[in-house]
Amino acid sequence: MKMIRTVDRLRPLYEGECQLIWLVPYHQRGAVIGVRGDTLVSLQAQAECEIHVTDKPETRLVDGTPHCMAIVRGVPERTRSALALLRDAAGGGRLGRDGLEPLLLAVEVSGDPGVREELARARPVVRGAGLRSLLEVLEPWPEHFWVRRTGPRGAEVCLHERLPEEWRASAAELADGRPGDSPTDAGCAPAAGEGPRRASALPGL
């Protein structure tokens, strides 16, 4: 029997809302929820947005450590506050790649028009996460992207390793019903065993 994910049970987003995921180390899940859920209720009240926290088996491995998912939903101005509150309550964590996969894959194939197009599509998620540039979008994934600043408003990126197939599947889900082609690997990412791809200029946000 296929498990129905928490995110699939939630209501549709209202106009102007975005959805982000903050990955919380599983051993800190109790710190985010609190006794009888008091902490989670307080976080939602402070941030003025919805926060849903998953439990086993709905976890994700990050560097070999299980993380539960805090699903944050609301307008960008409030989701930014929610992510900061979650980070403080959990004593850490990291931004999930959810909703950003097509953009990250576009950077992987190094197609500037494709990057700009996906950047425009991902703008609500980018704003909701409090990210101010494409450089900041890539920084949470140093295991995949190496970024070097070339000036006050410029940067170059190298791909350390091909992005996971799970990310490609998620990007394909987001592309369903959307006009145009979804991002592909286009033969630009390094094959297994190859070194980093050459640096490519990053377009501005």
Side-chain angles (χ1 to χ4, degrees):
M1 181 181 295
K2 183 178 179 180
M3 182 181 72
I4 299 176
R5 301 176 302 176
T6 299
V7 70
D8 294 330
R9 298 197 300 265
L10 302 178
R11 61 166 177 80
L13 292 172
Y14 299 136
E15 185 177 354
E17 288 186 327
C18 62
Q19 176 175 285
L20 301 103
I21 289 182
W22 186 258
L23 299 176
V24 176
Y26 191 79
H27 68 274
Q28 289 295 100
R29 183 177 182 274
V32 169
I33 294 177
V35 179
R36 297 184 299 278
D38 292 349
T39 302
L40 183 58
V41 169
S42 175
L43 293 176
Q44 292 184 93
Q46 292 177 68
E48 298 180 12
C49 62
E50 295 178 29
I51 304 174
H52 306 267
V53 181
T54 66
D55 199 353
K56 291 180 178 179
E58 205 174 348
T59 57
R60 188 176 295 173
L61 283 178
V62 178
D63 296 329
T65 302
H67 287 62
C68 59
M69 291 173 275
I71 304 165
V72 179
R73 314 177 105 221
V75 296
E77 293 75 15
R78 304 315 308 166
T79 58
R80 288 196 293 269
S81 298
L83 295 185
L85 291 168
L86 282 166
R87 182 176 57 245
D88 291 345
R94 66 183 292 178
L95 181 66
R97 39 81 180 168
D98 307 76
L100 295 171
E101 298 98 336
L103 173 57
L104 298 173
L105 289 170
V107 174
E108 180 191 55
V109 304
S110 188
D112 185 55
V115 172
R116 291 183 183 278
E117 184 177 327
E118 293 300 340
L119 190 55
R121 286 172 171 159
R123 194 172 300 279
V125 177
V126 172
R127 288 181 57 227
L131 304 173
R132 297 166 297 177
S133 67
L134 182 54
L135 176 64
E136 291 187 3
V137 171
L138 300 179
E139 284 178 339
W141 295 277
E143 65 271 28
H144 297 298
F145 299 103
W146 174 81
V147 180
R148 181 176 70 89
R149 292 186 181 273
T150 57
R153 298 181 62 83
E156 291 182 336
V157 60
C158 273
L159 182 70
H160 279 309
E161 61 181 46
R162 183 181 172 88
L163 299 181
E165 290 302 321
E166 181 185 1
W167 294 26
R168 301 174 193 281
S170 297
E173 285 184 20
L174 290 172
D176 282 347
R178 204 171 71 177
D181 295 329
S182 60
T184 65
D185 57 17
C188 294
E194 292 184 8
R197 192 188 66 199
R198 65 179 177 79
S200 303
L202 291 179
L205 186 58

